[in-house]
Amino acid sequence: MSEILRAPKGLDGVAVADTSIAKSDADGTLIYRGYAIKDLFEHSTFEESTYLILYGKLPTRSELEEFEAKMLRFSMVPHNVYDLVKTIPHEAHQMDVLRTAVSGLGATEGGISSEEQKLSIIAQMPALVANCYRIIKGMDVAEPDPALSLSQNFLYMLRGKKPSDFEAWCFERMLILYLEHDLNASAFTVRVVASTLADIYAACTAGLAALKGPLHGGANEAAMQMLLKIGSADNARSYVQETLAKREKVMGFGHRVYKTVDPRSQLAKKLLRELLEKQGKGLETYKLCEAVESAVWEFKKLPANVDFYAAPIFLNLDIPIETNTPIFASSRIVGWVAHYNEQLVDNRIYRPDATYTGEKGLKYVPIDSR
Ligand code: ACO
């Protein structure tokens, strides 16, 4: 056996795979398949960026139309999955409900090829996220409207009313920002499961489990709860100071890769301002966020990450807070599928080592003699 290397805590700075899907850098840049996130945020659609991430190139018009039609065809969720969701207690966390639903989808979605499974799991996510919420809240199941785009349908099913073009555009910008982020905790989890040759549903169910945690995708919901607790810009500095003094986390801040700026949070910040201005709501929320951001930078030199500005955008789009992390998942699943595919190109099962620190050579004592 070759010499065992000791990896740093949290695998910080260790490359465990090659990827051509996305790259985030400490200098505050992020690319999907070579394209700057800012360009995709400003000019692309969710469907087009999804195509880019899955197939490695921007589609032609006809390729995109064909892809959109396929996504629409796959967007209906089998009703036995909703029947399963109806058995879940109403106080369950939305990420637990969604994880159960995706796992249920895997147990029922027979008869289609593995390539179709990968597209259908992406296409079904808006209906799944919306209806997991609706069922838990005692509302009727909503079906996608074939005349609407994926992001329009998502808001339509989630809120029960059709969004304005501007609302759908804002929401779609956030979905683009959340699509993919190289080897984060959930993508790594998906690759580990893929490496065992388990199916895409198993891998995505595991990805959802990893994403739920507040240090990862759960941070957007936690950041929104925190912002509501702080209340106004005047309270921001003292809140941050007290939180850091207790050695607690300020949610929506810090990142393993970005040390000065997360490019996604800066795009989302601009979007939040634009949304509030367009809605004529005043800039109180924006000023609160900015005050928290500058206090965290002053005391700890940590940048806001994407989740910090995503949370108030979702709130101002009348999206229920408990669906924030499921919405993140509905977009990130595209990255997970791409990582699943990439892992299988040159696969070897992930099986790291551990340094054993336990005892050895103990003598077994029968239960009655202990
Ligand atoms: N609040 C307070 N202190 C923090 C925070 C924070 N949000 N983030 C990091 N720190 C502290 C660490 O405790 C550490 O302090 P120390 O040097 O005094 O021990 C120092 O800053 C450096 O931390 P890192 O090594 O850079 O953090 P790491 O890479 O291990 O973790 C993580 C990154 C999990 C994102 C962390 O910053 C965090 O917990 N943030 C809050 C949760 C969050 O917003 N997660 C979303 C991440 S982005 C995403 O998933 C989309």
Side-chain angles (χ1 to χ4, degrees), residues 328-348:
F328 180 165
S330 73
S331 168
R332 185 56 61 83
I333 203 162
V334 175
W336 294 343
V337 169
H339 278 284
Y340 181 96
N341 288 339
E342 195 174 62
Q343 178 62 35
L344 295 186
V345 170
D346 184 23
N347 186 48
R348 189 175 183 204

Side-chain angles (χ1 to χ4, degrees), residues 73-148:
R73 251 197 340 272
F74 284 128
S75 63
M76 304 288 273
V77 174
H79 271 240
N80 50 4
V81 173
Y82 293 143
D83 292 342
L84 172 67
V85 172
K86 285 176 189 161
T87 66
I88 299 173
H90 285 201
E91 55 281 5
H93 190 279
Q94 280 297 313
M95 278 299 277
D96 294 335
V97 183
L98 182 64
R99 193 190 59 233
T100 306
V102 168
S103 183
L105 204 55
T108 57
E109 196 79 306
I112 57 173
S113 71
S114 66
E115 279 322 297
E116 288 172 330
Q117 287 178 345
K118 289 171 194 165
L119 276 192
S120 76
I121 198 172
I122 294 169
Q124 287 166 343
M125 279 303 265
L128 268 184
V129 169
N131 286 317
C132 283
Y133 175 75
R134 294 178 69 89
I135 290 169
I136 293 294
K137 294 289 171 193
M139 292 184 260
D140 291 338
V141 164
E143 298 293 358
D145 177 341
L148 302 181

Side-chain angles (χ1 to χ4, degrees), residues 226-227 230 233-241 244 250 252-253 260 266 269 286-304 308-309:
M226 180 190 79
L227 285 169
I230 300 172
D234 295 342
N235 305 330
R237 205 165 176 274
S238 58
Y239 175 88
V240 169
Q241 214 166 5
L244 292 175
V250 185
F253 284 86
T260 53
Q266 293 315 297
K269 180 178 178 176
Y286 183 83
K287 287 180 185 155
L288 161 63
C289 294
E290 256 199 332
V292 176
E293 192 182 9
S294 74
V296 179
W297 188 256
E298 178 187 343
F299 296 120
K300 193 78 186 169
K301 296 283 175 286
L302 292 170
F308 182 67
Y309 279 102

Side-chain angles (χ1 to χ4, degrees), residues 5 7-8 11 61 77 90 94 119 148-150 153 168 198 215 218 222 246 260 279 293 307 326 364:
L5 305 171
L11 296 180
R61 191 171 294 282
V77 174
H90 285 201
Q94 280 297 313
L119 276 192
L148 302 181
S149 71
L150 184 139
N153 252 324
L215 298 191
K246 287 186 276 179
T260 53
Q279 291 175 327
E293 192 182 9
D307 287 325
Y364 180 78

